[in-house]
Amino acid sequence: MPHANLRRAPVQQRSAERLTRILDACAELLDETGYDELSTRAVAQRAGVPIGSVYRFFSNKRALAEALAARNLDRFAEIVGARLATIEAEDWRAAIDAVLDEYLVLKKTVPGFNLVDFGGPQPVTDPAADANHLLADRLAELLPAQFGRAPDAELRLTILVAVEAADALLRLAFRTDPAGDPGIVSETRELLHAYLARTLG
């Protein structure tokens, strides 16, 4: 899916493969050096492409990180959508467990995800562009069948609050234990079930 932070969307397979290599290199370097030390030149070197290839797609490292976040969100939505297809309609608890479980898999396995999950590492001025708002929007598209609800503004607000609460608790879980403190993860799951039961139970 093309994203606004791309200067130019790839039209040929070779360009698409080059873009993938650039984003993969960005993700690896974020884990190794952090965002502050990230540079477009280092990304080009790691990806094995000329620096001009990076600038063909991205104006700066912020745009690179934002594109990586957008790719993460697209992948997450695809994975969650596939999981939800195997869950009985209106089984919202199983749906929430699937969302949480798949997020934890990405958190533990995807390069760069700890610094750039679904939003760039820099603060945004538009709340709608915040990572949790973007995630809530995508989940509001995916979850209505399991929630037995119309995808209206009230449901979107419910999902946003759940996302914000889970984000804060999971940050605590991974600060406490680099692998994600299992007790805090378990409490996060219970909190989500209890909160959503008010609306969906």
Side-chain angles (χ1 to χ4, degrees):
M1 179 186 297
H3 291 282
N5 40 40
L6 275 179
R7 274 182 157 174
R8 181 181 306 174
V11 293
Q12 297 180 336
Q13 183 176 350
R14 188 171 69 174
S15 292
E17 290 170 352
R18 182 169 289 187
L19 176 59
T20 296
R21 291 208 311 275
I22 290 169
L23 290 176
D24 288 346
C26 176
E28 292 170 5
L29 288 166
L30 280 169
D31 277 346
E32 294 171 18
T33 69
Y35 179 75
D36 288 342
E37 299 302 317
L38 182 72
S39 72
T40 52
R41 185 168 300 281
V43 169
Q45 289 174 344
R46 176 65 61 90
V49 301
I51 186 68
S53 292
V54 175
Y55 285 121
R56 180 178 175 220
F57 294 115
F58 305 105
S59 56
N60 52 40
K61 71 177 185 179
R62 178 172 183 155
L64 249 173
E66 289 173 349
L68 182 62
R71 184 176 76 167
N72 287 340
L73 182 56
D74 284 344
R75 285 183 174 176
F76 182 64
E78 185 178 345
I79 292 166
V80 168
R83 278 287 300 276
L84 294 178
T86 70
I87 295 171
E88 187 176 347
E90 299 193 21
D91 188 353
W92 63 265
R93 286 179 178 83
I96 289 302
D97 287 343
V99 171
L100 182 57
D101 291 342
E102 295 300 341
Y103 177 83
L104 291 170
V105 170
L106 294 187
K107 184 85 171 167
K108 295 174 183 178
T109 62
V110 172
F113 195 83
N114 283 319
L115 282 178
V116 177
D117 51 12
F118 306 128
Q122 299 285 301
V124 295
T125 54
D126 178 8
D130 174 76
N132 286 342
H133 280 262
L134 295 174
L135 177 58
D137 287 341
R138 197 66 68 92
L139 291 176
E141 297 170 3
L142 291 167
L143 288 169
Q146 269 73 28
F147 282 6
R149 290 279 304 277
D152 55 21
E154 183 182 357
L155 179 61
R156 197 268 182 190
L157 177 61
T158 298
I159 292 173
L160 177 61
V161 171
V163 166
E164 289 283 357
D167 179 49
L169 287 169
L170 291 176
R171 287 178 188 274
L172 173 62
F174 281 88
R175 283 200 310 271
T176 305
D177 179 345
D181 183 274
I184 297 174
V185 170
S186 178
E187 289 296 299
T188 302
R189 196 180 303 274
E190 289 298 318
L191 181 144
L192 291 174
H193 286 181
Y195 169 65
L196 291 169
R198 296 188 324 160
T199 303
L200 307 174

